[in-house]
Amino acid sequence: MITAYAYQNRELITTELSVGDKVPESTLWLDLLKPDDDERQWLRLFSAEEVPDEEDIKEIEASARFYQNQDGLHINSLFPQRVSSDVRAVNVSFNLRERFLLTIREEDVGLIRLLRNYLRLGRLDITTPQGLLLELFTLKVDYLSDLIEDIYSILENVGEQVFNDEELDGVFKLITLQEDSNGKIRLSLLDTQRSLRYMQRYYRDRLSDENLKDIREMLSDIESLMPHSQFIFDKLQFLLDAAMGFSGLQQNKIIKIFSVSAVVFLPPTLIASSYGMNFHIMPELDWRFGYPMAVALMLASAAGTYFFFKRKGWL
């Protein structure tokens, strides 16, 4: 799907394009969502260089994610996307051209919807494609900060749940899920930091003083968020170690119960085995009270062993 956006007097003008249309002169933002082969071929008609495909967008090398050519500045950036209780990272390709910002993506991104909504409501004062790109990055940094705060909130009560047998399985699942989410958040922060530093270093001659100020503020925010992300990693590791330790203690208690039970019933078993032998001459074989005596001995030996363990504090 190809959508062209123009933003004039804080009014968003949306135009749906097909492969036979031309890009309107007033376009500030050209967005391609899940482009097919025909739409990619259409884009090549007014592109001097090769149009990046889905595999190119996912490359992690710096030379593949940040570069300049005849079509302008190219940045491939990770955008966080919360799906239920999970956080996903979606790659979006940006091509900053003279007239407009070109975005290519294979998935719908919540932050792009949010930016589009802000433009529709006239809440932003943007006149250049550079300002549009930096505004989207600002929303991204703010959203990453919110995601970190969400993880803090989730982990507040996990410390108490670690020592609850019934919730232990849920704690392991929660810790694993939050560790994965925090990893994606940190990866998005690092990716955004690299993108902004590249723009600051190699594209600054095309940026206004206001743009450079915005970049410096975002880099400062990212630097402040990094220790929080690392703290969450450390806390998650501590909670995981605590949960594993508590789980090990609970298992040891169960094993201890079985071990003590086996020892407690060992003397009665010995007595029962002795009187279960089939020798012809046994002193108590014809004794009237032999059976009650054997039962009494078994009970007494079991009780004696139990109270001995209890006195030693082993139970």
Side-chain angles (χ1 to χ4, degrees):
M1 184 173 66
I2 307 171
T3 309
Y5 299 96
Y7 193 59
Q8 299 172 348
N9 300 322
R10 296 197 175 186
E11 181 180 354
L12 183 66
I13 302 172
T14 304
T15 306
E16 298 291 338
L17 302 179
S18 62
V19 293
D21 298 331
K22 291 184 178 180
V23 179
E25 291 293 331
S26 58
T27 298
L28 177 66
W29 176 16
L30 184 64
D31 182 41
L32 274 71
L33 174 60
K34 299 180 181 179
D36 55 26
D37 293 339
D38 292 337
E39 291 172 338
R40 290 183 180 276
Q41 186 63 38
W42 171 83
L43 184 58
R44 292 189 182 96
L45 296 177
F46 53 93
S47 299
E49 302 288 342
E50 188 70 21
V51 176
D53 57 21
E54 185 176 358
E55 294 301 322
D56 295 332
I57 296 175
K58 292 181 180 180
E59 293 289 342
I60 63 174
E61 297 89 349
S63 59
R65 297 189 72 80
F66 324 108
Y67 62 93
Q68 299 184 60
N69 58 22
Q70 298 182 54
D71 291 324
L73 173 67
H74 293 263
I75 292 178
N76 298 332
S77 186
L78 282 171
F79 275 73
Q81 182 92 321
R82 181 172 285 283
V83 180
S84 184
S85 58
D86 192 15
V87 175
R88 298 181 61 250
V90 180
N91 278 288
V92 180
S93 174
F94 296 94
N95 180 197
L96 194 56
R97 302 193 178 190
E98 291 290 340
R99 289 175 44 212
F100 57 81
L101 173 67
L102 170 65
T103 56
I104 304 175
R105 52 200 174 99
E106 295 296 329
E107 299 182 39
D108 193 16
V109 177
L111 287 177
I112 291 181
R113 292 199 307 270
L114 180 62
L115 176 64
R116 190 168 57 235
N117 189 48
Y118 282 173
L119 292 172
R120 186 176 293 111
L121 296 175
R123 295 177 57 179
L124 303 175
D125 184 15
I126 296 174
T127 57
T128 64
Q130 292 90 345
L132 183 66
L133 176 61
L134 292 178
E135 182 62 36
L136 185 55
F137 272 53
T138 300
L139 293 176
K140 177 184 175 181
V141 174
D142 291 342
Y143 185 59
L144 288 169
S145 176
D146 292 339
L147 290 176
I148 290 176
E149 291 175 1
D150 290 344
I151 295 179
Y152 270 117
S153 300
I154 292 172
L155 296 181
E156 280 184 357
N157 300 321
V158 175
E160 298 177 2
Q161 296 174 4
V162 165
F163 302 105
N164 190 326
D165 291 345
E166 297 179 356
E167 300 180 2
L168 199 56
D169 290 341
V171 167
F172 279 115
K173 183 178 180 180
L174 179 64
I175 290 174
T176 303
L177 184 63
Q178 296 309 312
E179 194 279 336
D180 181 67
S181 297
N182 190 52
K184 291 173 182 175
I185 291 171
R186 188 175 181 85
L187 184 61
S188 295
L189 284 171
L190 291 170
D191 184 77
T192 306
Q193 185 182 57
R194 293 168 66 195
S195 302
L196 294 173
R197 284 178 175 173
Y198 182 89
M199 292 180 66
Q200 189 180 50
R201 182 177 301 176
Y202 299 107
Y203 200 74
R204 63 181 304 119
D205 57 329
R206 300 190 182 185
L207 298 173
S208 65
D209 293 339
E210 186 68 25
N211 294 151
L212 292 172
K213 179 183 176 182
D214 291 340
I215 290 177
R216 287 193 297 269
E217 289 178 354
M218 280 188 279
L219 287 173
S220 177
D221 290 340
I222 291 173
E223 289 292 339
S224 67
L225 291 175
M226 286 297 186
H228 290 278
S229 177
Q230 184 58 49
F231 172 78
I232 289 175
F233 272 127
D234 295 338
K235 185 176 180 63
L236 287 169
Q237 185 61 49
F238 169 77
L239 290 173
L240 181 61
D241 292 341
M244 291 290 291
F246 182 72
S247 176
L249 287 174
Q250 296 303 104
Q251 292 178 359
N252 288 339
K253 287 182 179 179
I254 295 173
I255 295 174
K256 180 180 178 181
I257 291 173
F258 281 107
S259 300
V260 171
S261 299
V263 174
V264 167
F265 288 104
L266 184 61
T269 303
L270 178 63
I271 295 172
S273 300
S274 299
Y275 287 104
M277 293 185 292
N278 294 320
F279 293 111
H280 180 68
I281 300 176
M282 293 183 69
E284 296 87 0
L285 188 62
D286 297 323
W287 187 27
R288 181 178 179 182
F289 299 102
Y291 176 74
M293 183 201 71
V295 173
L297 283 176
M298 287 188 286
L299 292 175
S301 62
T305 306
Y306 173 81
F307 286 114
F308 175 78
F309 279 26
K310 193 76 172 178
R311 186 176 181 182
K312 290 291 184 178
W314 296 343
L315 290 176

